[in-house]
Amino acid sequence: MNLSPMMSPRTKSNASSRPGLSGTVLAFHQLQKMRSSFVNICFISFFFAFALTLSTSATQLPQNWNSEFPKGPEKRTMMSALGRCAALFRAVIGMNSRQVSLEPDPGARRMRQIQRLIQNPNFVSKLGKKLGLEIRVYNQTPNADQPTGDFYRVEELPNGKLAVFVGDVEGKGPFAGALSMILLLEVIQISYTIKPNGNSCRTI
Amino acid sequence: MPNDIVLILSDGFWEAKHRIFGQPLYSLIRLQQLKIPLEEGLDGIIRFFRENFETPTDDATILSLQWRGPVTPP
């Protein structure tokens, strides 16, 4: 297949009118469009089915159902956790699906995005410098396009202290990266309240 | 921690962690503990690990922290 550089995602809708493309490429485009439509229809159907289930089951719930629903801080925590799960789900699904695009590997771009979230030496060194700490990072990764399980972060705490942590998830790839993201978020939250115990956490 | 450099190691340096501390959880080392000249910094610790321990084949991370004092804004 001869894919010219002009075949960017922005111009893919004009693929059928572009002369010089072989029939195989055009058929490939049509198949990808059909697949995208099919996925959209499935998603919409699932959404309506979910809404229908929710509305029917709501009628069978006990009268005090609303009072059992978390309120205040608990509700905010739960909604925040749900939001994180949704973002994570989108990231993982996006990495594994081949979208309608002529990019060589759209998953690799997302993996690099995740890698930047969990391992960001520039952010770490800038925040450290602000507080008088020189932080340097040595990071060894077997494959630059593949997220690893290592993550690190520096957090400025409200009491003026700096929390520095390094974590590791076994394995590598999208799921190790995603798990690192979850752990990173949790550790950021914990770092505000954790008491150093001299073993896994220590005041320097 | 005046002038000293503190290093935090990820689990990729498992052999170094086991040999130095006898357990994998602890990951905080001061440069002076390893008798490495302070001016060598992070490069010194990487060289030290390569000479003394098995090179990590998996992902591995070191954070080195050195106190430089508070930065006054210009």
Side-chain angles (χ1 to χ4, degrees), chain B residues 15-43:
Chain B
E15 194 199 354
K17 288 166 81 170
H18 271 282
R19 292 267 187 90
I20 296 169
F21 304 115
Q23 52 118 333
L25 187 63
Y26 204 91
S27 61
L28 198 140
I29 310 173
R30 288 178 192 273
L31 212 61
Q32 287 176 345
Q33 283 177 267
L34 301 173
K35 308 276 189 297
I36 296 171
L38 209 61
E39 58 273 10
E40 287 192 26
L42 187 59
D43 300 329

Side-chain angles (χ1 to χ4, degrees), chain A residues 22-32:
Chain A
S22 69
T24 316
V25 176
L26 290 176
F28 177 71
H29 279 289
Q30 290 302 326
L31 270 175
Q32 283 210 323

Side-chain angles (χ1 to χ4, degrees), chain A residues 60-76:
Chain A
Q60 298 163 7
L61 288 170
Q63 293 297 317
N64 61 349
W65 183 75
N66 280 334
S67 64
E68 290 173 0
F69 196 77
K71 288 178 182 172
E74 284 180 9
K75 184 181 174 185
R76 277 198 294 277

Side-chain angles (χ1 to χ4, degrees), chain A residues 4-128:
Chain A
S4 69
M6 291 173 70
M7 285 296 292
S8 66
R10 278 187 303 175
T11 57
K12 66 181 182 294
S13 57
N14 298 328
S16 56
S17 60
R18 191 176 296 280
L21 286 177
S22 69
T24 316
V25 176
L26 290 176
F28 177 71
H29 279 289
Q30 290 302 326
L31 270 175
Q32 283 210 323
K33 279 181 190 172
M34 282 168 63
R35 186 186 161 190
S36 170
S37 306
F38 178 71
V39 169
N40 285 339
I41 288 166
C42 286
F43 180 74
I44 291 165
S45 309
F46 172 76
F47 176 77
F48 278 111
F50 178 71
L52 193 66
T53 312
L54 204 65
S55 62
T56 51
S57 57
T59 57
Q60 298 163 7
L61 288 170
Q63 293 297 317
N64 61 349
W65 183 75
N66 280 334
S67 64
E68 290 173 0
F69 196 77
K71 288 178 182 172
E74 284 180 9
K75 184 181 174 185
R76 277 198 294 277
T77 310
M78 192 191 73
M79 295 310 284
S80 144
L82 284 176
R84 265 183 263 148
C85 288
L88 189 69
F89 183 73
R90 275 178 51 201
V92 173
I93 292 297
M95 277 187 295
N96 289 335
S97 68
R98 289 286 174 270
Q99 296 167 351
V100 184
S101 165
L102 289 180
E103 281 185 56
D105 188 2
R109 187 166 51 88
R110 281 179 185 272
M111 287 189 196
R112 280 195 295 272
Q113 285 172 350
I114 287 190
Q115 192 80 41
R116 276 198 297 271
L117 278 174
I118 59 175
Q119 297 176 352
N120 192 336
N122 292 333
F123 171 77
V124 163
S125 61
K126 271 184 190 169
L127 189 56

Side-chain angles (χ1 to χ4, degrees), chain B residues 1-2 11 13 23 36 40 42 46 50 52 58 63 67 70 72-73:
Chain B
M1 48 167 199
D11 215 27
F13 293 99
Q23 52 118 333
I36 296 171
E40 287 192 26
L42 187 59
I46 293 164
R50 283 191 180 146
N52 293 283
D58 211 345
L63 254 69
W67 177 247
T72 50

